[in-house]
Amino acid sequence: YGVSSVNDLLTELGPQLRSGRGNGPPVVLLNGRRISGFQEVRNLPTEAILRVEILPEEVALKYGYSADQRVINFVLRPRFRAITTELEGRVATAGGRATPSGEFDVLTLSRRGRFNLHIEYQESSALTEAERGITAQASPFSIAGNVVGLTGGEIDPALSARAGALTTIAGVPAGTLNPTLADFAGTANRATATDPTPFRTLLPASRGFDANLIYATTIFKDVSATFNGRIETQDSRGTFGLPGVALTLPVGNRFSPFSRAVAVDRALGDFNPLGQSSNTVTGHFGATFNGNVGKWQWSILANYDRSDNETLTDVGVDTAAFQARLNANDPTANPFGPFAPGTFEPLAANRARSTSSSYGIDALLNGSLLTLPAGKVSASFKVAGSSLTFDSNSRRAGVFQSASLARASANGQFNLDVPIASRARDFLGFLGSLSGNFNLAYNGLSDFGTLRTLGYGFNWAPVEAV
């Protein structure tokens, strides 16, 4: 198939893994045993696989899963050792974005157990609007600045008279720190402009790191145990333009040549662009235990997952201090000149945080109840419980909000498989191979109630080809 991992192999096998009974995801087994999660096998190299078995939905019932899931069993080689590295680079054909990535894997298979370490890193550069030729809408906010009427109307009748037309916007004249009415007449109805597209992203810059560790061994002489730990971090930063200030220049201010109050709109080119940053840290721990009691097999799965996310969104700068200086006719507060460092302080960013955590335990017992002429009657019993919590809080424009949600569930499932006819055992062989199955499940959800599932079916192979 030309793939390098189990994760990629499942994608290629997708059409064969679809169930005719529904859209349930496939059940993944390793050497015929249940696993705590897909993280246990996703990074295994395909060279370590001895064979792949795709089994019908009835097998999923035997392992405590639902009847609308196909089963895929990966059988590994008894001995295998590999160190694998993979480097990859992707670039956009139109330029402007590059995504280098790398992976490192160590895998050891032996009769004593399994050790697998996977490390992955990926980084993507930002893609700006300028790199895709986006045309920005006109804006009065530019680095040079523009003067507009407070209500969007006429700036000053005297300026309109000098310009010979009603003037609602005028660019701040270049080369002078104290422009006169005559200077503004030369820029009447001609706004200065700063292209915002280099400061706005279509795709944010991002980085991701993933480390996954699996260790499988035998404990208590006959119990196979697998432990899986994983940590993943993702962070991104996108921008949406330079911060802008709208300053009111009052009548009588030493820098105002106008007979009425006006607004001075400027973009702050010395500030970093406004943006939104997001950081997510995800952790997982899983454990699987498998053993035998006589002719019965048992397995216990335990999982714990936690995800923390924080998002910060810039909202601009605080103009209150500088506006107070303008109102007080401060000779050092020039709205048309360069701003000294520290003139404007950034406003507190909007912040959103969320934490989700879940844990669960799943126990299964399956085996043979008795033997009929057509074969063994097999049964499986499963009990499981899980809990999910989600906590979030945010501060937007000084308003704090929080929420806390939780849900717990407990479920049990029983499945029975009864052989009716068997060609191999020469019992009612003219029917081919025929078996029936029956399953019953209960799922109790907190704050909701109990759901019951009743299922039954037949699996018939009249001839080997069907």
Side-chain angles (χ1 to χ4, degrees):
Y1 285 95
V3 295
S4 58
S5 68
V6 166
N7 187 44
D8 298 331
L9 181 60
L10 282 181
T11 301
E12 293 293 329
L13 294 175
Q16 301 180 53
L17 299 177
R18 295 173 187 153
S19 170
R21 302 183 181 183
N23 298 317
V27 174
V28 178
L29 305 177
L30 187 64
N31 295 331
R33 299 293 184 102
R34 298 200 302 167
I35 58 177
S36 63
F38 186 56
Q39 297 92 339
E40 281 193 28
V41 298
R42 60 174 297 177
N43 303 123
L44 289 174
T46 51
E47 294 87 352
I49 299 174
L50 185 64
R51 67 178 184 274
V52 178
E53 301 169 339
I54 300 177
L55 307 172
E57 293 86 345
E58 286 75 13
V59 178
L61 292 168
K62 296 177 184 291
Y63 287 91
Y65 300 99
S66 63
D68 63 346
Q69 296 176 274
R70 271 295 187 80
V71 178
I72 180 168
N73 180 33
F74 292 103
V75 180
L76 301 182
R77 298 181 184 275
R79 289 191 299 271
F80 185 82
R81 184 172 59 188
I83 297 177
T84 307
T85 59
E86 183 174 327
L87 299 177
E88 180 180 297
R90 289 178 290 161
V91 295
T93 55
R97 186 171 175 88
T99 304
S101 62
E103 297 182 17
F104 174 77
D105 286 271
V106 177
L107 173 64
T108 301
L109 302 177
S110 68
R111 299 192 183 278
R112 291 177 297 177
R114 171 167 54 102
F115 175 83
N116 185 204
L117 173 64
H118 172 82
I119 298 175
E120 180 178 349
Y121 179 81
Q122 179 174 294
E123 185 171 339
S124 296
S125 58
L127 179 67
T128 66
E129 292 182 353
E131 291 169 321
R132 285 296 177 269
I134 303 297
T135 301
Q137 293 182 337
S139 170
F141 291 91
S142 68
I143 294 176
N146 293 290
V147 174
V148 297
L150 283 181
T151 59
E154 186 178 27
I155 295 175
D156 190 334
L159 178 60
S160 298
R162 279 178 174 269
L166 178 68
T167 303
T168 58
I169 189 169
V172 174
T176 176
L177 297 180
N178 198 354
T180 64
L181 203 62
D183 294 327
F184 278 104
T187 61
N189 291 322
R190 290 192 294 111
T192 62
T194 297
D195 183 9
T197 58
F199 311 105
R200 298 202 298 228
T201 55
L202 294 170
L203 293 174
S206 62
R207 293 181 301 176
F209 173 79
D210 184 5
N212 192 33
L213 176 66
I214 301 102
Y215 178 66
T217 187
T218 300
I219 60 176
F220 307 123
K221 295 184 179 181
D222 59 352
V223 175
S224 62
T226 303
F227 304 96
N228 174 214
R230 183 188 182 200
I231 186 168
E232 180 181 6
T233 64
Q234 293 283 342
D235 63 79
S236 64
R237 169 76 181 181
T239 56
F240 46 85
L242 293 171
V245 294
L247 304 171
T248 300
L249 187 60
V251 177
N253 185 279
R254 66 181 66 242
F255 296 105
S256 176
F258 308 110
S259 61
R260 59 176 66 176
V262 297
V264 181
D265 294 338
R266 293 186 63 178
L268 303 180
D270 294 332
F271 270 70
N272 290 327
L274 299 175
Q276 183 178 76
S277 61
S278 177
N279 180 266
T280 302
V281 179
T282 303
H284 166 80
F285 177 78
T288 306
F289 303 93
N290 288 279
N292 298 306
V293 178
K295 296 183 179 180
W296 289 76
Q297 293 182 343
W298 61 268
S299 69
I300 297 176
L301 312 181
N303 284 286
Y304 176 75
D305 293 271
R306 180 185 173 96
S307 179
D308 292 282
N309 175 266
E310 181 178 43
T311 301
L312 297 175
T313 305
D314 297 331
V315 295
V317 297
D318 187 358
T319 62
F322 191 82
Q323 183 63 57
R325 292 167 59 192
L326 284 177
N327 296 340
N329 206 6
D330 185 343
T332 64
N334 186 352
F336 304 126
F339 296 120
T343 300
F344 301 101
E345 293 295 331
L347 292 168
N350 289 339
R351 188 199 71 207
R353 290 178 177 172
S354 65
T355 299
S356 65
S357 60
S358 64
Y359 58 88
I361 189 167
D362 183 321
L364 173 73
L365 179 67
N366 59 8
S368 176
L369 289 175
L370 54 94
T371 301
L372 298 179
K376 295 181 178 180
V377 177
S378 60
S380 64
F381 305 86
K382 187 190 82 166
V383 292
S386 64
S387 176
L388 171 66
T389 60
F390 181 81
D391 300 303
S392 66
N393 62 75
S394 64
R395 186 189 63 218
R396 294 181 175 89
V399 178
F400 182 82
Q401 292 180 316
S402 64
S404 182
L405 305 172
R407 162 147 286 177
S409 67
N411 60 79
Q413 180 174 311
F414 166 73
N415 177 69
L416 185 69
D417 287 280
V418 180
I420 300 173
S422 173
R423 185 186 299 107
R425 289 176 173 265
D426 197 23
F427 181 77
L428 302 179
F430 63 92
L431 293 176
S433 297
L434 176 64
S435 64
N437 62 81
F438 169 81
N439 59 89
L440 180 65
Y442 285 88
N443 190 13
L445 302 172
S446 62
D447 305 316
F448 181 78
T450 301
L451 301 174
R452 186 184 70 177
T453 301
L454 179 66
Y456 52 88
F458 293 94
N459 192 15
W460 183 33
V463 294
E464 290 186 2
V466 179

